[in-house]
Amino acid sequence: MAEGRTIIQGVWLDWAAIRAVLQQEVSELFPQLSMLPVHDEGQGDPARMLASAPITLNVRQPRLAAMQPEAMSPTIIALVVAWSCLAAAAVAAAVLLAGVMALSERRAAFVSAVTHELRTPLTTFRMYAEMLALGMVREESQRRAYLETLRTEADRLFHLVENVLSYARLERGAAAAPRTETTVDELLATCTARLAGRAAEAGMELRIDLPAEFGPVQLATDRAAVEQILFNLVDNACKYAQAAKDRRIQLKATATRTQLLLRVVDHGPGIAPQAAAALFRPFTKSASDAANTAPGVGLGLALCRRLARDLGGDLRLEPCNGDPRGASFVFTLPR
């Protein structure tokens, strides 16, 4: 309104040029920005309109192309391989260290148990030998009893040393003893006297159950190793079934088409399931165990299984049929 006249003024805008300038200003941030003019009030989204121009902005997100995984660079590959090798080396070192520590602990327990086992017979040897040498034992019956005790302790030491040396031979991988052709009758005849004598020392009775049809069965084996295995099993039965009411130790022989099975069965307290898991592991008996239980160093059954497998057979513990008490060991040999 000027001097009574109504004047209408307008500005002619070059929309194409304005749009080009504005898009150029923000091209780095919004390369696909589009600007739309607003012709009517209320048109467009107020949140997207410019403050000084009737223009609304439409920011279109670019469609992301499917990204192809880039090939790993040689540096990344080298790093992955290096870290993998380092992790494998760490795991191997940890396993090796754990094995060495476990072996060291078992050997320490073994040395302690052996020391305990040697101390008792050596003390008996020294005391009885001094008494006999000084003439302190005058009665003939008592002298014979002392000499019998010395013989028993000598047998005990011989059995201990025999087991240790045999196990050491197997650990070194020494060649197995030559096999000889024999029959079941001949095999048991060579060791029956020694087994029965050990049972008699413990006040027990060895009973051999060998059906007539199995006696002539032929096999090739090491008689000395078989005798050592059976003696260890009978010796264990004498030690651990000492308090049993049934004083029998049974040696049962059966055969299949491919195997000879020798079972040594006692009627003692049996073996607890938790103890059975470590029954055939060497060096598991400490000095305190040896002092509080039957004498021994925990090597006999481990040695027996190694010898049995060295002969091509095996040794395992099986439950006694129908009898919750007692232990039954099955020694198998190939025919």
Side-chain angles (χ1 to χ4, degrees), residues 92-333:
V95 172
L96 179 61
L97 181 61
V100 170
M101 292 180 64
L103 180 61
S104 178
E105 291 176 358
R106 291 201 306 270
R107 287 184 173 176
F110 167 72
V111 171
S112 179
V114 168
T115 303
H116 175 82
E117 280 298 296
L118 291 175
R119 184 182 296 116
T120 301
L122 289 177
T123 302
T124 304
F125 271 124
R126 180 176 181 179
M127 182 178 63
Y128 281 20
E130 287 181 355
M131 293 175 66
L132 290 170
L134 296 174
M136 300 175 63
V137 184
R138 299 186 180 279
E139 296 183 8
E140 185 63 26
S141 59
Q142 191 175 11
R143 185 181 293 107
R144 284 197 301 268
Y146 280 19
L147 292 174
E148 181 62 25
T149 301
L150 291 176
R151 187 192 64 80
T152 301
E153 293 298 333
D155 288 342
R156 178 178 166 186
L157 281 177
F158 175 79
H159 179 53
L160 173 63
V161 173
E162 182 184 34
N163 281 347
V164 172
L165 292 179
S166 296
Y167 191 82
R169 178 183 63 81
L170 292 174
E171 284 290 289
R172 291 195 307 269
R179 311 291 195 262
T180 57
E181 295 287 339
T182 185
T183 65
V184 178
D185 281 331
E186 295 172 348
L187 182 65
L188 295 182
T190 59
C191 57
T192 296
R194 186 183 178 196
L195 301 181
R198 177 64 185 98
E201 287 178 4
M204 305 182 77
E205 178 188 2
L206 177 68
R207 292 192 179 181
I208 298 179
D209 181 8
L210 176 60
E213 64 269 23
F214 299 138
V217 169
Q218 296 279 338
L219 66 157
T221 189
D222 178 7
R223 295 187 185 185
V226 171
E227 180 179 353
Q228 188 172 3
I229 293 171
L230 293 177
F231 185 85
N232 273 296
L233 296 177
V234 171
D235 182 63
N236 279 350
C238 291
K239 291 188 293 188
Y240 292 97
Q242 182 66 40
K245 293 181 179 180
D246 191 337
R247 311 296 292 171
R248 293 175 301 160
I249 300 175
Q250 296 170 285
L251 174 57
K252 305 177 181 179
T254 57
T256 66
R257 187 175 61 85
T258 59
Q259 287 184 324
L260 170 68
L261 291 83
L262 299 173
R263 284 180 172 85
V264 177
V265 183
D266 66 59
H267 302 275
I271 299 172
Q274 59 270 23
L279 200 59
F280 295 100
R281 289 208 300 263
F283 313 128
T284 56
K285 194 169 188 178
S286 63
S288 59
D289 294 333
N292 297 324
T293 62
V297 296
L299 186 61
L301 289 176
L303 171 65
C304 289
R305 173 171 279 185
R306 290 286 298 273
L307 286 173
R309 292 179 175 176
D310 194 48
L311 295 174
D314 200 2
L315 176 67
R316 67 181 186 275
L317 173 70
E318 68 174 7
C320 293
N321 295 328
D323 187 358
R325 302 176 67 82
S328 175
F329 289 91
V330 183
F331 170 33
T332 61
L333 280 171

Side-chain angles (χ1 to χ4, degrees), residues 65-96:
M67 299 181 63
Q68 299 294 331
E70 296 182 359
M72 295 180 66
S73 66
T75 303
I76 295 178
I77 294 175
L79 288 174
V80 170
V81 172
W83 280 107
S84 300
C85 293
L86 183 61
V91 172
V95 172
L96 179 61

